[in-house]
Amino acid sequence: MKTSTIVRSTQIKALYMKKGLLLAAGLAIGITAFSQQRIFTRKGQVSFYSKAPLENIEAHNNAAVSVIDEGTGQLEFSVLMKGFEFEKALQQEHFNEDYVESSKFPKAVFKGKITDMSKVKFTSDGSYTVTVSGQLSLHGETKDVTTAATIAVRGGAVSGHAEFGILLDDYKISIQSLVKDKISKTVKIVVNCNYENMK
Amino acid sequence: MKKGKLILLIIVAALIGVAFYGWKEYHRQHPDTATIVAAFSVKAPDMLKAFQDDENLANHQYNDKVVAVSGTVLKVERNDSTQTVWLDGKSPMGGVICQFERSHKEELGKLQPGQPVTIKGVCTGMLMDVVLVRCALDNPTQ
């Protein structure tokens, strides 16, 4: 009985650990004395675009979760792979089943940092170009990503925008040889988030 | 000669058939969730709890399936590209996010915060909230 309670609490701990920064950030609500101001969204937009002779592919996800620590510039994005919506059902099926294997790898996560956070003044309106550097985990592979991003402050509301390219090979996403030369090997990823204060 | 013509005709007809099937398949649209019988009916807090307790199990059970989720409307949000209903998950960590299919966005006009509702959608998993896409109201006339 006691053992099972311990196992249970270990499981709970493991679950909380897994949620990492997001959950920690959630739990830290109210302990503002120890944490810098964090901003977050649960409805971030992540889209990707692939242009090639055979077909142009685009898909959109409107439920990305993102947290930025305004003090340190640490940030994190999570997105459900099955949440990417394509116009054509067949493309969406191929994406989930053949390319990103979303049942095996349900999430993509980016963890990183705004390396020049001192440029951004959250108290005054403006548009700031910053550099974001971190690791993108997708399809079971983790790779370094560095990109320019824009942080815009308008009347206290913060939004973020970034565009960067990834190589499918880097994430071991393989395309059937039949269509290999006709589908783009790079994918453009566009991120747009409107943040709220975490209270 | 006649036989040869017939074979040629059959081959051409088969090619046209294959091409037509391929074309139809390539342009196939997602089925309207409203027309699909839900694989599960569940209350929003129970569904969220299932994911919080054992995410792998819940992913296996719910993902890619049409689920009818009942709950209380927390808020309704609409902009140019998205229309979303947030259902109360009775948890400080999250709830159930229902992203409506464009063809069903008119249904959101009827919804008010605090209202009980049942929404059908395709489950995609959980981040902080459980996320359903391609949603439609279940029994929109009620």
Side-chain angles (χ1 to χ4, degrees):
Chain A
M1 185 68 179
K2 205 175 175 187
T3 321
S4 76
T5 317
I6 293 166
V7 169
R8 179 85 194 122
S9 84
T10 315
Q11 280 173 341
I12 292 170
K13 267 184 207 154
L15 182 76
Y16 277 43
M17 294 289 282
K18 201 171 67 176
K19 296 289 172 231
L21 181 65
L22 286 179
L23 199 63
L27 291 171
I29 296 168
I31 321 173
T32 44
F34 295 101
S35 62
Q36 294 279 355
Q37 177 67 51
R38 291 194 172 97
I39 53 175
F40 86 113
T41 182
R42 298 171 161 192
K43 49 186 177 186
Q45 298 185 328
V46 177
S47 301
F48 70 77
Y49 302 86
S50 153
K51 287 187 166 38
L54 187 65
E55 58 181 347
N56 289 335
I57 298 169
E58 64 175 84
H60 307 277
N61 186 315
N62 298 302
V65 170
S66 171
V67 181
I68 301 179
D69 189 312
E70 290 185 349
T72 63
Q74 298 279 355
L75 55 81
E76 180 166 335
F77 292 84
S78 305
V79 68
L80 290 168
M81 298 308 287
K82 286 183 191 293
F84 280 99
E85 296 191 83
F86 296 67
E87 197 190 322
K88 294 187 173 87
L90 190 69
Q91 283 180 354
Q92 189 160 335
E93 287 163 15
H94 284 173
F95 171 78
N96 282 295
E97 289 160 22
D98 303 332
Y99 295 150
V100 298
E101 301 177 86
S102 62
S103 291
K104 221 162 125 191
F105 308 107
K107 292 170 192 171
V109 177
F110 177 84
K111 287 182 194 187
K113 198 174 164 152
I114 298 171
T115 53
D116 42 6
M117 197 63 176
S118 54
K119 276 187 182 176
V120 185
K121 292 184 182 61
F122 287 102
T123 47
S124 55
D125 285 8
S127 187
Y128 309 92
T129 303
V130 295
T131 304
V132 175
S133 192
Q135 279 98 37
L136 176 65
S137 302
L138 165 67
H139 194 236
E141 301 295 318
T142 299
K143 287 277 179 287
D144 288 341
V145 170
T146 297
T147 177
T150 311
I151 302 259
V153 181
R154 293 274 177 282
V158 181
S159 63
H161 171 86
E163 291 186 23
F164 59 95
I166 61 166
L167 275 173
L168 295 182
D169 274 354
D170 280 352
Y171 299 91
K172 298 206 163 44
I173 296 169
S174 51
I175 295 165
Q176 300 104 311
S177 52
L178 185 70
V179 291
K180 203 161 188 132
D181 298 328
K182 299 185 182 68
I183 286 186
S184 176
K185 291 176 182 63
T186 59
V187 169
K188 184 171 90 168
I189 298 182
V190 178
V191 182
N192 278 304
C193 291
N194 293 313
Y195 290 92
E196 299 165 38
N197 285 325
M198 213 174 218
K199 296 194 261 291
Chain B
M1 186 63 185
K2 237 182 176 179
K3 202 175 169 187
K5 258 188 181 170
L6 189 68
I7 289 168
L8 193 70
L9 199 69
I10 289 169
I11 290 171
V12 168
L15 280 178
I16 290 173
V18 167
F20 182 68
Y21 173 79
W23 188 82
K24 283 273 282 187
E25 179 66 7
Y26 178 71
H27 288 283
R28 177 163 52 88
Q29 297 294 303
H30 297 283
D32 183 350
T33 309
T35 64
I36 301 173
V37 179
F40 296 98
S41 291
V42 63
K43 292 194 175 78
D46 295 344
M47 189 178 191
L48 179 67
K49 194 170 182 311
F51 273 94
Q52 288 173 342
D53 287 351
D54 189 338
E55 195 175 338
N56 284 335
L57 188 74
N59 274 336
H60 195 71
Q61 183 176 5
Y62 290 116
N63 283 2
D64 295 328
K65 307 221 170 65
V66 173
V67 184
V69 186
S70 309
T72 308
V73 176
L74 271 186
K75 58 178 170 173
V76 180
E77 286 190 342
R78 287 202 263 192
N79 62 35
D80 296 343
S81 56
T82 61
Q83 34 280 322
T84 308
V85 177
W86 303 58
L87 294 180
D88 191 352
K90 312 274 184 212
S91 159
M93 297 313 300
V96 177
I97 293 178
C98 305
Q99 296 185 336
F100 271 62
E101 204 153 358
R102 210 165 291 171
S103 57
H104 288 282
K105 68 175 178 187
E106 305 308 324
E107 295 167 4
L108 270 69
K110 303 176 202 168
L111 298 182
Q112 298 292 331
Q115 187 181 334
V117 72
T118 302
I119 293 170
K120 278 203 292 192
V122 180
C123 184
T124 64
M126 181 188 75
L127 290 170
M128 292 177 85
D129 311 89
V130 174
V131 183
L132 304 183
V133 298
R134 293 188 4 235
C135 292
L137 274 189
D138 199 24
N139 297 321
T141 50
Q142 284 178 1

